[in-house]
Amino acid sequence: MKITMAHGSGGKSTSELIDNIFKKANSNPVLDMMEDSAVVDGFKTIAITTDSFVVTPMFFNGGDIGRLSVCGTVNDLLMRGAVPKYITSAYIIEEGADTDDLEKIAESMSQTAKEAGVTLVCGDTKVIEGKCGIYINTTGVGFVENGIDIKSANCKAGDKVIVSGNLGDHHATILSSRMGISNSIKSDNAPLNEMVLGLIKNNIGVHAMRDITRGGLGTVLNELSSASGYGFLINEEDLPVSEAVKGFCEILGLNIMHMGNEGKMVAIVDSEDANKALQIIKSSKYGENARIIGTVTDDNGVIMNTKIGGKRIITELFGEGLPRIC
Ligand code: MG
């Protein structure tokens, strides 16, 4: 069935759409009340984040916009040391979109929310004129335990820089799909609960964490440098990159430092805890390729020791990267 403007009317067609697709995919006591707002248990300190997802294509190797819309928001909560609890979903659907696609996306969202331990507590749908697209906004709420203070400004000289796995996978997947290139590259879109909560449970001295999304590792490290006033020295030979993505970047002349992921993070950790942190991440789901890639320094900006023995300044991404990657 195709979505029509009537599905956005707020009347009978809207409630049928909600019943047949969204309620079928997501049901829990809070959501099922269908009240004007969700009333849920709270906590003293909470983390809140919101993000909109407009990725094209909506379905890609290894994931889809539904999974992505949960992972992106959950990971942003985790990066502050919050335990993700609640998520909302607002769909903007263009006329002509297929309800089969919508069903798959809602189901994928539901599965990913289960995996990430978040309860979907409220949602909205709007239908607009357009070209059959589907867009999702999610807002997430997480609980921050007493004493947890993880933020970019906390990086200190001597800290170790850990990357949780192979760089560029999501970016290369989306670009391959848009260019009609078929290869084995899969999106890494994933919720990082296990590795992050593992670090916190084990009292690792985590000073800062950032998920590596649009703009890539180069942009994230430059942001960490600006926020903390410290520099970053990283080693090119320690960067985890799959052979397939490495080859893909070489052919297209792409810089892996500016390629985005959707299930990877960089953690800035007290040097004394770095090896233990690496082991925790490596033994967690989605962390098997984690590496220590460098150190926080007294300088400013981001410098890379290159494979051929030189030094290169790594800037943030300037201008337009690949649009609609998430
Ligand atoms: Mg983020």
Side-chain angles (χ1 to χ4, degrees):
M1 187 176 72
K2 299 291 177 201
I3 294 289
T4 65
M5 292 308 282
H7 287 115
S9 65
K12 193 167 164 42
S13 300
T14 306
S15 59
E16 278 173 4
L17 184 74
I18 290 168
D19 286 349
N20 295 335
I21 292 178
F22 296 110
K23 260 191 162 178
K24 224 163 78 188
N26 281 290
S27 169
N28 62 54
V30 183
L31 203 53
D32 294 349
M33 286 173 78
M34 297 289 285
E35 292 287 347
D36 284 345
S37 65
V39 174
V40 293
D41 290 339
F43 201 75
K44 192 165 154 256
T45 306
I46 61 170
I48 313 173
T49 187
T50 192
D51 208 342
S52 298
F53 297 86
V54 299
V55 65
T56 181
M58 292 185 284
F59 298 94
F60 43 84
N61 203 4
D64 58 76
I65 192 172
R67 180 169 174 81
L68 197 62
S69 71
V70 175
C71 296
T73 288
V74 161
N75 289 342
D76 279 343
L77 294 173
L78 287 164
M79 295 305 108
R80 298 301 308 279
V83 179
K85 286 287 177 187
Y86 305 117
I87 197 162
T88 71
S89 75
Y91 281 74
I92 295 175
I93 306 163
E94 288 180 347
E95 194 179 14
D98 202 296
T99 50
D100 288 346
D101 287 345
L102 207 50
E103 220 167 308
K104 279 185 224 154
I105 290 165
E107 185 54 42
S108 173
M109 203 170 177
S110 168
Q111 291 302 324
T112 313
K114 274 194 198 105
E115 183 187 348
V118 284
T119 309
L120 181 64
V121 290
C122 48
D124 178 50
T125 59
K126 293 285 182 318
V127 178
I128 58 169
E129 302 86 350
K131 295 176 179 167
C132 316
I134 297 172
Y135 313 104
I136 305 173
N137 173 276
T138 54
T139 293
V141 173
F143 293 175
V144 186
E145 290 285 351
N146 232 344
I148 298 225
D149 176 32
I150 295 171
K151 57 176 186 269
S152 304
N154 286 356
C155 301
K156 291 277 174 299
D159 286 352
K160 292 293 173 196
V161 181
I162 302 175
V163 163
S164 70
N166 291 343
L167 298 171
D169 295 358
H170 179 71
H171 192 133
T173 303
I174 299 299
L175 189 53
S176 300
S177 170
R178 295 237 203 111
M179 295 175 76
I181 302 170
S182 68
N183 53 31
S184 63
I185 301 171
K186 260 190 179 170
S187 169
D188 56 342
N189 61 156
L192 301 177
N193 302 57
E194 194 179 316
M195 66 177 72
V196 171
L197 300 178
L199 293 173
I200 289 168
K201 210 168 54 203
N202 285 283
N203 292 314
I204 297 294
V206 180
H207 295 164
M209 286 186 283
R210 294 287 307 275
D211 58 344
I212 304 167
T213 55
R214 275 180 310 176
L217 180 62
T219 301
V220 171
L221 291 180
N222 273 283
E223 287 169 359
L224 287 167
S225 175
S226 304
S228 65
Y230 288 99
F232 289 78
L233 181 63
I234 61 166
N235 302 311
E236 187 175 21
E237 65 178 5
D238 293 333
L239 295 178
V241 187
S242 74
E243 285 306 316
V245 170
K246 198 184 289 173
F248 183 79
C249 289
E250 273 163 18
I251 291 166
L252 294 173
L254 299 166
N255 183 351
I256 194 67
M257 291 301 289
H258 292 147
M259 305 259 301
N261 289 79
E262 284 292 342
K264 298 289 155 49
M265 66 168 189
V266 57
I268 313 303
V269 177
D270 196 290
S271 64
E272 283 188 6
D273 289 345
N275 286 324
K276 196 172 168 201
L278 181 66
Q279 286 322 310
I280 291 168
I281 296 172
K282 278 178 95 72
S283 59
S284 317
K285 203 172 179 187
Y286 309 119
E288 66 273 16
N289 296 315
R291 300 278 286 272
I292 295 175
I293 62 150
T295 310
V296 181
T297 67
D298 270 320
D299 291 334
N300 233 311
V302 182
I303 307 284
M304 182 158 83
N305 290 321
T306 66
K307 279 180 187 160
I308 53 165
K311 286 203 189 306
R312 191 190 307 154
I313 294 172
I314 304 294
T315 62
E316 59 202 302
L317 174 68
F318 289 115
E320 199 180 331
L322 179 64
R324 296 183 63 181
I325 179 180
C326 54

